[in-house]
Amino acid sequence: MLQLYYYCFELPDEPDTKSSAELEKSLFKACLVLNGPYIAEQDQASAAAKALLPNQPLAAMALALTFSDFELVNLRLLNIAVLQLIKSVRLFEFLEAEARFAPLLHAFLQRFGCQDWPEYFRKLSGVTKPVMQAENPGRISVEIPDNQPDYEADRAFLQRFALREGQKLDKADFTSLRATPLVEETPGTFVLAYPVLVVEAMHKGLYFQFNQANQSLPKTQREPDWRSVYCDLFSEQYLMYLLLDATFRGRGLALSGRAIFDGWQLKGQSEPDYYFRHANRAVLFESKDVWVNKVAKAGHDFATYLDEVKKKFYEDEDQHPKAARQLANNVKRLLRHKLPFDTDFDPAELLIYPVLVVHDRLYNQPGLNVVVNDWFQEELAKLEKEGLPVHNVRPLIIIDADTLLAYHEDFRDGRLVFEDVLEEYVTYLRAPAWAGISDAEDEQRLMQSIHPFALFLENYAEKRDMLGIPKDMLYQILPIINRGADDQPEQ
């Protein structure tokens, strides 16, 4: 449907000459026409995946069928909206707390005609609330009453998120629609093109909006590396630390990468991005806020996509270690007592959980964890040849930041125990067949071996009446968003 939307958007307006029934038939035929090439692309991707991943046929099939559009069709809209809202507020709090970001924050607010960032969220809620409150699928539109005092200002605000008439579209991975997911149908009436893109733009879109604001600043006030600010300082050192500190509060040894760097200079070697140990169980974290090239992700070229993923999560073009190799290297140092912040354990008895934290839910694709873990296992085999006791090193587990955010209060309050859940997930992946297993049960057993951690935890927690919404944090930010609202004149 998004492909059809793109095609129609670029056509000129014409008189409506068809009845509703005729229009419905035409739309159905158009979908069939577009579906043919899409199926052909999937077939091509499947063949390439089968050849490139011969030892993982299930993972190959799952990745080939989902790598281009997974995050568009696998979602719980309300949960996504709540988590995007929370992350967005945390980003503004992070920027507001540092004087160096004051010019950037001011430039952003000027672009949107807002006095402060809570006002930005209040204005944005006119679009996000209808998505969150929609009970049935279908058209969602927002109308600004033309008799309200701030009509022009509110219209100008939403136009920042709207495709412009005649705008040249970047069709790779629906990039234009991700950045501007609204269309102004008539003056003051905005149609939401695809709801999940609207709520994701609430946070993901902020990176690009702030980047544009940054470029508008004088060079002396501009952040020289906005991507590093967002990915390293915010995503990892602010948001991830915040969530993991809460997750492990009062339990064992918990150290952020910054604390490790400041306290134990590791002689030029890369420190873990986070480390936790309780008794004989240790968790090594590596954080990657990375994007796969939109062209590689959007098309049918699975080989290019897999190569991109390998550059992000194994090694880059210059063979610099990434993710899986970095985690394996820290496993090696931990087992050799070469991480000076924690040496009081028996390496032969230590259970190690390597965790790769990613910052986009598109990496929850079924099968991706299997592929990245295979790369990790290759490195682990080398350590075994060196005589290291790797028998208790668990598989690499990919966990997205939204999942950490969704359940960190359950971990904090003891309703869930992080290491226990990791162990349950490993057991789930390795579920053996049993006597008398039916064909349907065996198929389910095989399919769950490629399930992402996010899906496992969602089902695991739901059975225990945990719905994946951090209520305490949500209730904390609502008064912040409404800060100053009572001082504004009624409309």
Side-chain angles (χ1 to χ4, degrees):
M1 289 303 295
L2 285 178
Q3 289 178 334
L4 179 60
Y5 183 90
Y6 260 34
Y7 175 77
C8 294
F9 183 81
E10 293 183 319
L11 295 176
D13 288 339
E14 294 183 0
D16 187 358
T17 59
K18 293 188 176 184
S19 68
S20 296
E22 290 173 328
L23 182 60
E24 188 173 336
K25 287 180 182 179
S26 296
L27 285 173
F28 181 71
K29 289 178 182 178
C31 288
L32 290 177
V33 169
L34 290 173
N35 212 33
Y38 177 76
I39 292 173
E41 288 179 356
Q42 287 198 318
D43 289 343
Q44 186 175 342
S46 296
K50 186 176 179 180
L52 292 167
L53 301 170
N55 298 323
Q56 296 291 355
L58 274 179
M61 176 189 70
L63 273 178
L65 296 177
T66 62
F67 78 96
S68 65
D69 57 11
F70 171 81
E71 78 281 15
L72 299 177
V73 296
N74 295 272
L75 51 95
R76 294 198 299 175
L77 198 55
L78 176 60
N79 292 61
I80 291 172
V82 169
L83 298 176
Q84 296 299 310
L85 173 62
I86 291 172
K87 289 195 297 183
S88 302
V89 171
R90 293 305 182 206
L91 174 61
F92 279 101
E93 287 181 326
F94 161 77
L95 294 171
E96 188 177 51
E98 294 283 342
R100 65 179 268 200
F101 299 130
L104 175 60
L105 191 54
H106 179 70
F108 174 91
L109 294 173
Q110 272 194 321
R111 282 172 58 81
F112 287 95
C114 297
Q115 295 295 316
D116 54 27
W117 60 263
E119 182 187 357
Y120 168 84
F121 280 102
R122 291 195 297 275
K123 286 188 173 183
L124 194 61
S125 68
V127 173
T128 55
K129 277 184 179 179
V131 177
M132 297 168 70
Q133 295 171 352
E135 297 181 358
N136 299 306
R139 169 189 167 94
I140 301 176
S141 63
V142 175
E143 182 177 352
I144 304 172
D146 58 10
N147 60 349
Q148 73 176 36
D150 294 330
Y151 170 80
E152 291 297 340
D154 289 346
R155 183 185 173 201
F157 177 87
L158 290 185
Q159 284 175 332
R160 287 282 185 183
F161 299 94
L163 290 170
R164 300 184 307 278
E165 189 72 31
Q167 176 180 337
K168 186 177 180 180
L169 300 182
D170 184 345
K171 297 180 182 179
D173 199 26
F174 307 111
T175 300
S176 293
L177 204 52
R178 290 178 187 273
T180 47
L182 306 181
V183 175
E184 190 171 18
E185 187 177 55
T186 58
T189 299
F190 294 82
V191 178
L192 283 61
Y194 199 66
V196 70
L197 297 184
V198 173
V199 295
E200 289 216 320
M202 189 171 11
H203 179 71
K204 292 172 76 172
L206 284 177
Y207 171 84
F208 302 101
Q209 297 286 0
F210 270 107
N211 189 51
Q212 291 177 7
N214 190 47
Q215 294 303 313
S216 72
L217 289 170
K219 203 165 186 179
T220 54
Q221 295 181 327
R222 195 180 303 164
E223 281 296 324
D225 190 352
W226 164 243
R227 177 164 175 75
S228 178
V229 169
Y230 181 86
C231 296
D232 298 332
L233 298 185
F234 172 70
S235 293
E236 180 183 318
Q237 296 185 32
Y238 184 84
L239 183 63
M240 189 185 78
Y241 288 179
L242 177 74
L243 299 177
L244 292 180
D245 284 349
T247 294
F248 299 121
R249 181 184 298 171
R251 298 181 54 237
L253 175 65
L255 294 169
S256 69
R258 172 54 57 184
I260 293 170
F261 180 83
D262 291 342
W264 298 270
Q265 297 291 330
L266 298 183
K267 299 179 180 177
Q269 299 187 65
S270 176
E271 68 280 348
D273 288 331
Y274 203 96
Y275 177 81
F276 172 77
R277 182 170 71 83
H278 179 255
N280 70 329
R281 296 195 291 183
V283 189
L284 284 164
F285 291 89
E286 186 65 35
S287 171
K288 294 295 176 194
D289 190 352
V290 294
W291 300 321
V292 170
N293 182 281
K294 64 183 180 182
V295 176
K297 178 181 175 295
H300 59 268
D301 188 351
F302 185 81
T304 300
Y305 165 77
L306 188 62
D307 186 56
E308 278 288 306
V309 170
K310 198 166 189 175
K311 290 174 186 176
K312 307 298 183 185
F313 296 144
Y314 184 63
E315 64 182 18
D316 64 17
E317 304 94 326
D318 301 317
Q319 297 185 315
H320 295 140
K322 300 294 180 182
R325 283 186 60 192
Q326 289 174 301
L327 281 165
N329 187 47
N330 281 323
V331 167
K332 177 180 179 178
R333 290 196 285 170
L334 184 61
L335 290 174
R336 286 185 168 171
H337 283 159
K338 296 295 184 181
L339 293 178
F341 50 83
D342 190 19
T343 58
D344 187 20
F345 59 85
D346 181 352
E349 300 297 324
L350 187 66
L351 276 69
I352 302 176
Y353 299 91
V355 171
L356 168 58
V357 176
V358 293
H359 294 265
D360 197 314
R361 63 185 185 85
L362 70 88
Y363 299 117
N364 288 332
Q365 298 150 292
L368 182 61
N369 202 139
V370 175
V371 172
V372 178
N373 179 57
D374 274 0
W375 298 332
F376 176 75
Q377 294 302 320
E378 290 175 13
E379 298 302 307
L380 214 58
K382 297 174 186 177
L383 301 187
E384 187 174 26
K385 287 182 179 179
E386 295 177 19
L388 290 173
V390 298
H391 55 282
N392 281 332
V393 179
R394 298 302 191 243
L396 180 149
I397 297 173
I398 297 176
I399 304 178
D400 69 298
D402 280 12
T403 297
L404 286 177
L405 173 57
Y407 295 100
H408 78 280
E409 291 175 3
D410 298 307
F411 290 121
R412 179 198 66 192
D413 297 338
R415 291 184 290 273
L416 296 171
V417 177
F418 194 77
E419 315 93 279
D420 289 349
V421 174
L422 296 182
E423 190 65 35
E424 292 270 11
Y425 177 57
V426 172
T427 301
Y428 174 84
L429 296 177
R430 295 172 171 175
W434 60 88
I437 188 172
S438 68
D439 290 344
E441 289 170 331
D442 197 39
E443 181 180 347
Q444 171 59 30
R445 179 186 69 85
L446 292 171
M447 291 305 296
Q448 73 186 41
S449 69
I450 63 170
H451 283 175
F453 179 81
L455 176 60
F456 164 79
L457 182 53
E458 179 184 313
N459 294 331
Y460 182 90
E462 201 166 80
K463 291 175 184 176
R464 292 156 178 80
D465 298 321
M466 290 171 258
L467 301 180
I469 293 180
K471 293 182 179 179
D472 289 354
M473 189 171 281
L474 178 62
Y475 295 153
Q476 288 170 6
I477 68 170
L478 293 178
I480 298 173
I481 294 173
N482 291 320
R483 185 178 71 196
D486 294 338
D487 299 329
Q488 296 182 351
E490 292 187 11
Q491 298 179 2

